[in-house]
Amino acid sequence: MAKECLQMAQHSDKPNLNAANLAIKLSKIVPYRAEIEWYKACCDEADDQMGYYDSFKLTGASRREGRVNINRHRLAQFWNSVIHMLENNKLPHDFDRRGKWVNASHFYKLLVEPLDIADYYRTGMHRERGHYIEHGRERRYEVFDKWWRERSVPEEENKRSKFASLTQDSCFWARVEEAKEWLDNVRSERDATKRQQLWHKIDNFEAYARQLINNKEVSKDVLAKNSSFSRWMEEWKEMKSQVQQITPLFPGFVDGKVVP
């Protein structure tokens, strides 16, 4: 009986011991994360003015991006192991509500998911499987979304005075990629109903993006002169200008009206 009690005590304490060991492992992967942060800072200040996302997407084969890619995979392995341990009852039951881990996973998601999105579109996976959000997003990010939504710490109500260091929607660039396709399709779409649907999607995305920008919930790389988003906005403005010119001649071109 004494032996069984000792074994039960050791077993009940195992999750806490695992959590302590994970904290040590978390400290050991900090250099990988820091190197990606340094990479982002370099991209955001680069003369090409493409920003973090587009730099990694367009120059992923370089030596510098290669190191970032290795670190991206190392971090993914760590966080996947955390989720695996939690779901197999190897960590304390309240682990996913502990501030340290909720904040660390959220920061990881905001920093690294844009790179996952860039890699997904650079390698053409969207043509094989479909767009990232619905067909390519790793489950760990959905888990971390849930952790963040259910955290006990209240949201800060103070408005930001400067742009965020990391865009607060980690899927923002995936939404940009979808909006780029909508814009290409609306140019060639002959069916009036489908054209109206595309126009509505594009208009909604622009409104969403503007809200993020106005609330300063984007990183400055979003607004970089040659970023995918900035170039998309220029194309969208040009198209709206063209439609405003032809709508008097073809009143039903876009839902019978022009979006201002």
Side-chain angles (χ1 to χ4, degrees), residues 66-184:
R67 283 189 57 83
V68 170
N69 203 37
I70 291 172
N71 290 340
R72 180 174 71 93
H73 286 295
R74 286 170 172 167
L75 292 173
Q77 290 174 357
F78 171 78
W79 286 108
N80 282 341
S81 70
V82 171
I83 293 172
H84 177 77
M85 291 178 69
L86 181 62
E87 293 179 343
N88 285 275
N89 300 316
K90 294 181 179 180
L91 293 171
H93 70 279
D94 65 341
F95 181 87
D96 56 346
R97 296 191 296 276
R98 295 183 179 182
K100 173 180 179 176
W101 291 99
V102 172
N103 291 329
S105 62
H106 184 65
F107 185 86
Y108 158 73
K109 182 189 69 170
L110 297 185
L111 178 67
V112 178
E113 190 166 15
L115 301 182
D116 285 13
I117 297 168
D119 183 71
Y120 189 82
Y121 284 93
R122 179 183 64 214
T123 56
M125 291 300 294
H126 61 294
R127 288 189 289 270
E128 296 179 20
R129 299 169 57 181
H131 282 293
Y132 173 87
I133 294 176
E134 186 174 352
H135 301 287
R137 197 179 192 213
E138 293 289 345
R139 180 172 171 270
R140 62 179 173 273
Y141 295 127
E142 296 174 356
V143 172
F144 297 152
D145 281 342
K146 184 175 182 290
W147 289 10
W148 186 251
R149 287 194 306 269
E150 295 178 353
R151 71 195 189 284
S152 58
V153 180
E155 295 242 8
E156 294 183 5
E157 296 184 359
N158 296 332
K159 291 186 177 180
R160 295 176 182 272
S161 59
K162 59 181 180 180
F163 287 112
S165 58
L166 296 168
T167 299
Q168 298 302 290
D169 176 3
S170 62
C171 285
F172 178 79
W173 291 107
R175 303 186 203 284
V176 172
E177 295 289 354
E178 291 191 37
K180 286 165 59 179
E181 182 177 276
W182 297 336
L183 194 56
D184 288 340

Side-chain angles (χ1 to χ4, degrees), residues 4-258:
E4 290 178 358
C5 289
L6 181 60
Q7 288 175 341
M8 290 177 63
Q10 290 174 339
H11 179 74
S12 63
D13 194 49
K14 192 71 180 292
N16 289 321
L17 181 60
N18 288 339
N21 288 333
L22 266 186
I24 295 172
K25 291 180 180 179
L26 178 65
S27 66
K28 290 182 178 179
I29 66 167
V30 166
Y32 306 147
R33 190 191 72 189
E35 192 165 348
I36 295 178
E37 290 181 74
W38 171 83
Y39 171 75
K40 181 182 186 303
C42 291
C43 292
D44 290 348
E45 299 299 328
D47 293 337
D48 59 24
Q49 299 185 59
M50 289 195 300
Y52 180 50
Y53 173 79
D54 287 281
S55 292
F56 188 75
K57 179 183 175 184
L58 298 176
T59 58
S62 72
R63 183 175 180 180
R64 183 177 68 164
E65 276 72 17
R67 283 189 57 83
V68 170
N69 203 37
I70 291 172
N71 290 340
R72 180 174 71 93
H73 286 295
R74 286 170 172 167
L75 292 173
Q77 290 174 357
F78 171 78
W79 286 108
N80 282 341
S81 70
V82 171
I83 293 172
H84 177 77
M85 291 178 69
L86 181 62
E87 293 179 343
N88 285 275
N89 300 316
K90 294 181 179 180
L91 293 171
H93 70 279
D94 65 341
F95 181 87
D96 56 346
R97 296 191 296 276
R98 295 183 179 182
K100 173 180 179 176
W101 291 99
V102 172
N103 291 329
S105 62
H106 184 65
F107 185 86
Y108 158 73
K109 182 189 69 170
L110 297 185
L111 178 67
V112 178
E113 190 166 15
L115 301 182
D116 285 13
I117 297 168
D119 183 71
Y120 189 82
Y121 284 93
R122 179 183 64 214
T123 56
M125 291 300 294
H126 61 294
R127 288 189 289 270
E128 296 179 20
R129 299 169 57 181
H131 282 293
Y132 173 87
I133 294 176
E134 186 174 352
H135 301 287
R137 197 179 192 213
E138 293 289 345
R139 180 172 171 270
R140 62 179 173 273
Y141 295 127
E142 296 174 356
V143 172
F144 297 152
D145 281 342
K146 184 175 182 290
W147 289 10
W148 186 251
R149 287 194 306 269
E150 295 178 353
R151 71 195 189 284
S152 58
V153 180
E155 295 242 8
E156 294 183 5
E157 296 184 359
N158 296 332
K159 291 186 177 180
R160 295 176 182 272
S161 59
K162 59 181 180 180
F163 287 112
S165 58
L166 296 168
T167 299
Q168 298 302 290
D169 176 3
S170 62
C171 285
F172 178 79
W173 291 107
R175 303 186 203 284
V176 172
E177 295 289 354
E178 291 191 37
K180 286 165 59 179
E181 182 177 276
W182 297 336
L183 194 56
D184 288 340
N185 290 344
V186 80
R187 291 189 178 103
S188 58
E189 183 57 61
R190 293 180 177 273
D191 183 275
T193 301
K194 291 181 179 179
R195 188 168 59 240
Q196 290 169 14
Q197 292 172 347
L198 286 167
W199 192 276
H200 183 65
K201 287 180 178 180
I202 296 170
D203 196 43
N204 282 345
F205 171 70
E206 182 195 14
Y208 171 72
R210 287 191 182 280
Q211 182 180 22
L212 287 181
I213 294 168
N214 291 339
N215 292 338
K216 293 184 168 31
E217 294 180 347
V218 298
S219 171
K220 65 180 183 179
D221 66 309
V222 169
L223 301 176
K225 181 180 178 181
N226 296 317
S227 75
S228 291
F229 175 72
S230 294
R231 287 185 280 114
W232 179 87
M233 280 295 294
E234 288 301 316
E235 292 180 25
W236 175 225
K237 288 178 183 178
E238 182 180 352
M239 173 167 283
K240 286 197 290 185
S241 176
Q242 292 172 352
V243 171
Q244 285 174 340
Q245 295 174 23
I246 69 171
T247 297
L249 300 176
F250 304 97
F253 184 77
V254 179
D255 201 17
K257 63 181 180 179
V258 176

